[in-house]
Amino acid sequence: MTTSAVADALHLLREGSIEVEGRLVDASNATLYARISLDGVESACVYKPVAGERPLWDFPDGTLAGREVSAYLVSAYAGWDVVPPTVLRDGPFGPGMVQLWVDADDTVELVDIVTRPALPPGWLAVLDARGEGGEAVVLAHAADPRLRRMAVFDAVVNNADRKGGHILPLGPAADAPVHGVDHGVSFNVEEKLRTVLWGWAGRRIDAEDLDTLARVRDGLEGELGSQLAEHLTAAEVTATERRVRRLLREARMPRPVPGWPAIPWPAF
């Protein structure tokens, strides 16, 4: 999205009138599909009221919506364009996260479970497993720079739930946006990265991504840090800065943390 389109989307999300049309039943928390309109402009959106958040043992109650907004703030500041425009505002069922709806292209496969012989050329294997019939299969993803940026983003925000179904390609073109959604379980002070994008684990971070990480580090010491402080604790903001500094120092993508599940379940 262009800068002006993003500004228009954020204005619509903040000021528009929300009309809930349904619920996404596969989500573990209340996730509502809605229409939002303002001055003749209308769009679909996702509305997740704080009141519908399921309590979790490792995240404070009522904080998931703020974590979703924080993920957008990091994505936008870095220029990664991973997270669709997202705001925190009041809605029909109280305060919650409101995010611009994006229509994914279901014909584009960037993450899949296939047999080894069917692994597409150039794809990165993540995990060997057994299929429903006992056959050997592999969880893998494309070696796509858009996914690589998403993997770096996930390492920064400590995303504990990067499922395949949370990766939304918007078209078949190589430069079509690929968005990520559902970042409510991010920014924990403990290492909780769970993702289907482990194909780059331990590999050197590209120079372009290192430049972006340096910009994020500087932002966390100023404007970006102040923005995140409105939604996260001081310890969580500090932990985010610590993760960025470690990525810059080591210049390598993280590996799974021992003693913590590396892959979210279900993976899709």
Side-chain angles (χ1 to χ4, degrees), residues 185-254:
V185 286
S186 299
F187 296 100
N188 201 299
V189 295
E190 299 179 2
E191 296 297 329
K192 291 184 177 290
L193 184 59
R194 290 188 302 186
T195 175
V196 295
L197 301 179
W198 284 115
W200 290 282
R203 298 194 184 190
R204 290 197 63 82
I205 299 175
D206 286 19
E208 177 185 354
D209 292 328
L210 288 173
D211 289 343
T212 303
L213 286 168
R215 187 166 65 251
V216 172
R217 175 201 59 202
D218 295 343
L220 286 167
E221 297 174 352
E223 177 187 1
L224 178 59
S226 297
Q227 292 174 338
L228 295 181
E230 297 180 14
H231 308 287
L232 305 173
T233 66
E236 288 166 342
V237 176
T238 298
T240 303
E241 183 177 353
R242 185 169 60 246
R243 287 191 297 272
V244 172
R245 289 185 178 279
R246 183 176 66 239
L247 289 168
L248 284 167
R249 182 177 64 253
E250 298 178 356
R252 291 188 179 277
M253 292 294 289

Side-chain angles (χ1 to χ4, degrees), residues 92-138:
F93 300 102
M97 180 221 75
V98 181
Q99 184 175 84
L100 194 70
W101 178 269
V102 293
D103 287 311
D105 187 337
D106 295 334
T107 68
V108 180
E109 294 286 356
L110 295 176
V111 182
D112 205 355
I113 296 175
V114 297
T115 61
R116 277 282 179 177
L119 189 66
W123 275 41
L124 304 176
V126 173
L127 178 72
D128 288 301
R130 293 285 178 182
E132 293 182 357
E135 71 280 15
V137 296
V138 59

Side-chain angles (χ1 to χ4, degrees), residues 38-53:
L38 179 68
D39 298 332
V41 178
E42 183 178 274
S43 179
C45 69
V46 174
Y47 166 47
K48 296 183 181 180
V50 172
E53 293 180 4

Side-chain angles (χ1 to χ4, degrees), residues 30-178:
T31 302
L32 307 177
Y33 177 83
R35 304 296 299 183
I36 188 164
S37 57
L38 179 68
D39 298 332
V41 178
E42 183 178 274
S43 179
C45 69
V46 174
Y47 166 47
K48 296 183 181 180
V50 172
E53 293 180 4
R54 178 172 56 89
L56 300 173
W57 67 269
D58 52 349
F59 286 86
D61 293 351
T63 66
L64 304 192
R67 297 173 193 279
E68 296 252 26
V69 175
S70 296
Y72 169 71
L73 292 171
V74 171
S75 169
Y77 190 91
W80 278 317
D81 193 28
V82 170
V83 186
T86 309
V87 303
L88 187 67
R89 57 161 288 181
D90 200 15
F93 300 102
M97 180 221 75
V98 181
Q99 184 175 84
L100 194 70
W101 178 269
V102 293
D103 287 311
D105 187 337
D106 295 334
T107 68
V108 180
E109 294 286 356
L110 295 176
V111 182
D112 205 355
I113 296 175
V114 297
T115 61
R116 277 282 179 177
L119 189 66
W123 275 41
L124 304 176
V126 173
L127 178 72
D128 288 301
R130 293 285 178 182
E132 293 182 357
E135 71 280 15
V137 296
V138 59
L139 170 65
H141 61 76
D144 189 298
R146 298 166 299 178
L147 293 186
R148 189 196 71 236
R149 288 192 293 271
M150 186 179 291
V152 176
F153 163 79
D154 284 341
V156 169
V157 305
N158 198 17
N159 187 3
D161 197 29
R162 176 62 72 207
K163 294 182 171 72
H166 295 169
I167 299 171
L168 308 180
L170 302 195
D175 60 350
V178 176

